[in-house]
Amino acid sequence: MSDQRIDLHAHSTASDGTSSPRELVQQAGAAGLDVVALTDHDTTAGWDEAAQALPAGLSLVRGAEISCVHGGVSLHLLAYLFDPEDPSLTAALDGLRQSRAGRAQEMARQLEAAGTGVTWERVRELGSGSVGRPHLARALVEQGLVPTIAEAFTPQWIGTAGRFWVGLAEIEAVVAVRLITAAGGAAVFAHPRATARGRTVDDAVFATLADAGLVGVEVDHVDHDAQARVALAGLAADLGLVVTGGSDFHGASKPVGLGANGTTREAYERLVGAASGVAVVTA
Ligand code: AMP
Ligand code: FE
Ligand code: FE
Ligand code: ZN
């Protein structure tokens, strides 16, 4: 059983969430969480605001979710408690955000050319930080072309390999695990069996990533059914990896609340013990 009071996966307006970092920690406190991790896509821009707004009794784990690829398959790594000034990791994150802006601009250009009324100016307003497809999806909702953000993630619109989809230049996952680890962080494989989003990697890749320094596997996640969770927990146990969980909260753009999935205290302590880049912030 996971302790739902430790939520190690949440997004803010620094990437594609809809709560500001300040609102996010306030919501986490109001939800009764003991620990929340801020894990925006490819950025640490929300860290300071979240730390400054932390309500009493809540601990903040500063992190990021890094866009990676392995063997042609996209995957996400959660990186926790790394040094945000590490030059190599910072350069990698800067490159990812530049790629995000370039591909979002290209998707917006194609949508505009198709007469949808979506413009890059509007998408940039909606996604002023680490811009992503949810911002394009919101622009499509605004134009009345899809009823919900989720319905923009289809082959007809901006679903992976869809009509208006443009790929992101991602970091090789083994390289990313090494970069995170060298920056004092702890790397966790995010939602490895989120099959609805596209292809996922084979079991053998977990051992490859573990050899590179991977610390944990995100088992308890909304995109994993009970069977996937059992299989992943088995893989993690075989490789001596920490089992984590989190809500993958995105505010109003996804129907999942803070604390919807969580991490046990024991697993949390192992994870924190594996990192040395920055400390957990307590209020
Ligand atoms: P990107 O990183 O820009 O390629 O966009 C991927 C992001 O889109 C994910 O992190 C989710 O926040 C969001 N996303 C992916 N699939 C869906 C979906 N079916 N419904 C809503 N949001 C989604
Ligand atoms: Fe996201
Ligand atoms: Fe993710
Ligand atoms: Zn996420």
Side-chain angles (χ1 to χ4, degrees), residues 189-271:
F189 192 167
H191 49 71
R193 289 287 176 265
T195 47
R197 298 180 187 211
R199 285 171 64 204
T200 61
V201 298
D202 297 340
D203 287 2
V205 174
F206 290 70
T208 305
L209 297 178
D211 284 344
L214 187 76
V215 171
V217 178
E218 187 184 46
V219 172
D220 290 302
H221 183 279
V222 64
D223 290 354
H224 294 156
D225 62 17
Q227 202 182 344
R229 293 181 197 212
V230 170
L232 285 169
L235 266 174
D238 289 347
L239 294 165
L241 298 170
V242 178
V243 168
T244 75
S247 62
D248 207 352
F249 179 72
H250 280 73
S253 67
K254 256 187 175 178
V256 56
L258 280 162
N261 280 291
T263 302
T264 65
R265 178 63 61 176
E266 187 197 356
Y268 169 67
E269 280 166 7
R270 272 184 72 195
L271 185 74

Side-chain angles (χ1 to χ4, degrees), residues 29 53 66 70 89 99 108 121 125-126 132 135 197 224 244 262:
I66 303 184
H70 186 82
L89 185 53
S99 167
E121 288 67 34
E125 270 168 25
L126 293 167
H135 304 112
R197 298 180 187 211
H224 294 156
T244 75

Side-chain angles (χ1 to χ4, degrees), residues 17 22-23 29 34 39 41 51 57 62 89 92 94 135 155 159 176 184 193-194 204 223 228-229 239 283:
R22 160 188 300 278
E23 289 164 345
D34 295 322
T39 54
H41 296 287
R62 291 169 287 178
L89 185 53
D94 288 349
H135 304 112
R193 289 287 176 265
D223 290 354
R229 293 181 197 212
L239 294 165

Side-chain angles (χ1 to χ4, degrees), residues 11 16 41 65 67 76 100 103 131-134 149-151 153 165 168 197 250 253-254:
H11 298 264
D16 57 7
H41 296 287
E65 184 173 15
S67 307
H76 289 169
R100 283 186 165 281
R103 62 79 98 122
V131 63
R133 279 184 285 167
I149 286 176
E151 283 163 276
F153 285 84
W165 174 80
L168 184 63
R197 298 180 187 211
H250 280 73
S253 67
K254 256 187 175 178

Side-chain angles (χ1 to χ4, degrees), residues 2-250:
S2 58
D3 183 339
Q4 314 262 310
R5 296 169 70 83
I6 302 177
D7 184 340
L8 294 183
H9 193 159
H11 298 264
S12 76
T13 50
S15 65
D16 57 7
T18 59
S19 302
S20 67
R22 160 188 300 278
E23 289 164 345
L24 175 70
V25 291
Q26 286 168 350
Q27 287 163 350
L33 296 185
D34 295 322
V35 181
V36 70
L38 177 65
T39 54
D40 278 305
H41 296 287
D42 307 316
T43 185
T44 60
W47 282 19
D48 290 350
E49 184 184 314
Q52 278 156 21
L54 202 60
L58 181 67
S59 295
L60 173 69
V61 173
R62 291 169 287 178
E65 184 173 15
I66 303 184
S67 307
C68 299
V69 62
H70 186 82
V73 178
S74 294
L75 64 91
H76 289 169
L77 289 175
L78 289 159
Y80 297 108
L81 302 171
F82 56 87
D83 173 2
E85 286 170 8
D86 178 85
S88 304
L89 185 53
T90 304
L93 295 178
D94 288 349
L96 284 168
R97 290 196 309 280
Q98 272 177 32
S99 167
R100 283 186 165 281
R103 62 79 98 122
Q105 188 166 9
E106 177 58 19
M107 281 190 277
R109 195 193 64 71
Q110 290 182 20
L111 284 165
E112 187 171 7
T116 58
V118 169
T119 64
W120 169 237
E121 288 67 34
R122 183 60 186 145
V123 172
R124 208 29 167 158
E125 270 168 25
L126 293 167
S128 54
S130 189
V131 63
R133 279 184 285 167
H135 304 112
L136 288 139
R138 251 187 272 167
L140 284 164
V141 172
E142 281 182 353
Q143 294 299 324
L145 293 164
V146 291
T148 63
I149 286 176
E151 283 163 276
F153 285 84
T154 59
Q156 188 192 349
W157 296 109
I158 56 168
T160 302
R163 192 166 155 223
F164 295 99
W165 174 80
V166 176
L168 184 63
E170 302 154 318
I171 307 180
E172 209 299 314
V174 170
V175 172
V177 169
R178 292 203 182 108
L179 280 173
I180 294 162
T181 311
V188 170
F189 192 167
H191 49 71
R193 289 287 176 265
T195 47
R197 298 180 187 211
R199 285 171 64 204
T200 61
V201 298
D202 297 340
D203 287 2
V205 174
F206 290 70
T208 305
L209 297 178
D211 284 344
L214 187 76
V215 171
V217 178
E218 187 184 46
V219 172
D220 290 302
H221 183 279
V222 64
D223 290 354
H224 294 156
D225 62 17
Q227 202 182 344
R229 293 181 197 212
V230 170
L232 285 169
L235 266 174
D238 289 347
L239 294 165
L241 298 170
V242 178
V243 168
T244 75
S247 62
D248 207 352
F249 179 72
H250 280 73

